[in-house]
């Protein structure tokens, strides 16, 4: 191993580079998970998460000690019982992961799908809601760069009386997310995506309706670690449940503060600006949007169809040699698309300027970096 890791440009759709304020927070001396200072920090995290998710003042928020997938699993583990009808919107690999988890907790899963690269049609959800106890949908499907119409789906689900779980991993903190206004019951994300904190925490928000469903369970959840009541014991009553990773809490607290200091609207604008400049720079080479309908495009994961005859593997290897990570397609889209991350600290001009310079060099093309810079909105004085 070399003793100094060279500067790396991480353009993947997660993990994202750790925010400098989060990096600094990681070096704070360790405290016990039952220390009053940690409880005070946790309270600030809970308040900031309410802002990030757009919840009511009374909504319970917390961090689960695991990655985004633990947030996903906690929903099914706490809110599903054997035999429950659960409708899962699955138009990509994370939707399919939800269906797999729901089935493992005993759900009778109804799938609503869409062709790859297309959003879920709310009419298809409406047609299958009868008798459903819970609906689960991925807001932004990372595997295809598709944004699903969560507000429309939520309106239908509210009328039906079912609970609604939303995967907010590629959206909350970077794109509009309004849990209370839309009527979402369980939302989760992963620390290393839009917040640019280290991986290992899943911020969640749980509605009162979800707690009521949990309280009416016939049997305790088989997932002791993320039992809703156990979470409340620690986060609200300050009694021991398990040892939370205090150093990761420090870092997430700093990253979340940085996001709210910047302003959620400013972050949305940053994603739009950098995304548009990337497309302007790459379009003359033959890169086009993979997601056909503009309203279905997820701003934080820019899925671009590669030009005819483009050497995907060769170019990405050459980029990797220059310490630049770019993610290709998954399964059926492998070799067909690139998925450029625009979450958290990745959605900045500097890392993408590095990419443009490297591509000029690798492809023997000129003008990419210039086009990229010209396309960026001029910085106000
Ligand atoms: C990354 C991701 C997850 C899973 O998160 P992990 O932190 O890898 O467990 C879930 N859903 C979506 C949409 C994601 O992008």
């Amino acid at each position: 191993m070399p003793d100094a890791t060279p500067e790396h440009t991480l353009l993947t759709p997660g993990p994202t580079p750790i925010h400098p304020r989060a990096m600094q927070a990681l070096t704070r001396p360790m405290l016990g998970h039952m220390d009053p200072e940690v409880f005070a920090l946790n309270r600030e995290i809970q308040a900031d998460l309410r802002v990030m998710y757009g919840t009511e003042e009374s909504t319970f928020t917390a961090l689960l000690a695991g990655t985004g997938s633990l947030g996903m699993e906690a929903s099914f583990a706490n809110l599903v019982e054997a035999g429950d009808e659960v409708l899962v919107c699955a138009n990509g690999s994370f939707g399919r992961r939800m269906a797999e988890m729901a089935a493992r907790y005993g759900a009778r899963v109804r799938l609503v799908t869409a062709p790859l690269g297309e959003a879920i049609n709310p009419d298809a959800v409406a047609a299958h809601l009868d008798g459903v106890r819970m609906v689960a949908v991925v807001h932004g499907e990372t595997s295809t760069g598709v944004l699903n119409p969560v507000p429309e789906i939520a309106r239908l689900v509210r009328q039906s009386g079912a609970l609604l779980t939303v995967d907010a991993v590629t959206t909350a903190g970077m794109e509009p997310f309004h849990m209370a206004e839309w009527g979402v019951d369980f939302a989760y994300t992963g620390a290393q995506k839009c917040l640019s904190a280290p991986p290992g925490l899943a911020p969640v928000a749980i509605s009162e309706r979800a707690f009521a469903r949990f309280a009416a369970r016939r049997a305790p959840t088989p997932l002791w670690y993320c039992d809703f009541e156990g979470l409340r014991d620690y986060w609200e009553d300050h009694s021991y449940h398990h040892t939370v990773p205090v150093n990761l809490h420090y870092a997430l607290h700093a990253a979340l503060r940085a996001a709210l200091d910047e302003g959620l609207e400013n972050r949305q604008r940053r994603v739009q600006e950098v995304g548009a400049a990337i497309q302007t720079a790459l379009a003359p080479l033959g890169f086009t949007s993979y997601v056909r309908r503009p309203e279905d495009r997820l701003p934080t994961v820019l899925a671009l169809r590669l030009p005819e005859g483009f050497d995907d593997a060769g170019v990405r290897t050459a980029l990797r040699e220059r310490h630049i990570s770019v993610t290709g397609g998954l399964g059926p889209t492998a070799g067909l698309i690139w998925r450029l991350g625009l979450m958290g600290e990745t959605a900045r001009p500097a890392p993408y300027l590095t990419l443009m310079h490297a591509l000029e060099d690798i492809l023997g093309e000129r003008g990419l970096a210039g086009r990229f810079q010209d396309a960026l909105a001029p910085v106000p004085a």
Side-chain angles (χ1 to χ4, degrees), residues 113-187:
T113 61
L116 272 187
E118 290 182 26
I120 295 290
N121 182 347
D123 294 340
V125 175
H128 295 93
L129 273 177
D130 208 35
V132 162
R133 303 261 297 167
M134 190 213 258
V135 173
V137 59
V138 176
H139 194 191
E141 186 39 87
T142 318
S143 62
T144 55
V146 167
L147 181 72
N148 281 318
V150 164
E152 288 80 359
I153 292 171
R155 192 153 22 79
L156 296 164
V157 176
R158 270 291 63 79
Q159 289 162 4
S160 80
L163 292 180
L164 177 63
T165 284
V166 178
D167 175 312
V169 175
T170 59
T171 52
M174 215 80 207
E175 290 298 315
F177 198 92
H178 306 289
M179 176 157 174
E181 188 188 318
W182 295 345
V184 174
D185 295 298
F186 187 99

Side-chain angles (χ1 to χ4, degrees), residues 8 37 44 89 167-168 310 342 359:
H8 197 101
E37 238 185 84
E44 290 183 10
C89 301
D167 175 312
F310 189 82
L342 287 166
L359 285 177

Side-chain angles (χ1 to χ4, degrees), residues 67-70 72 94 97 138 140 142 167 169-170 188 192-193:
T67 65
S69 300
L70 186 65
M72 186 188 288
F94 289 105
R97 183 176 296 188
V138 176
T142 318
D167 175 312
V169 175
T170 59
Y188 63 87
Q192 81 280 16
K193 301 279 178 96

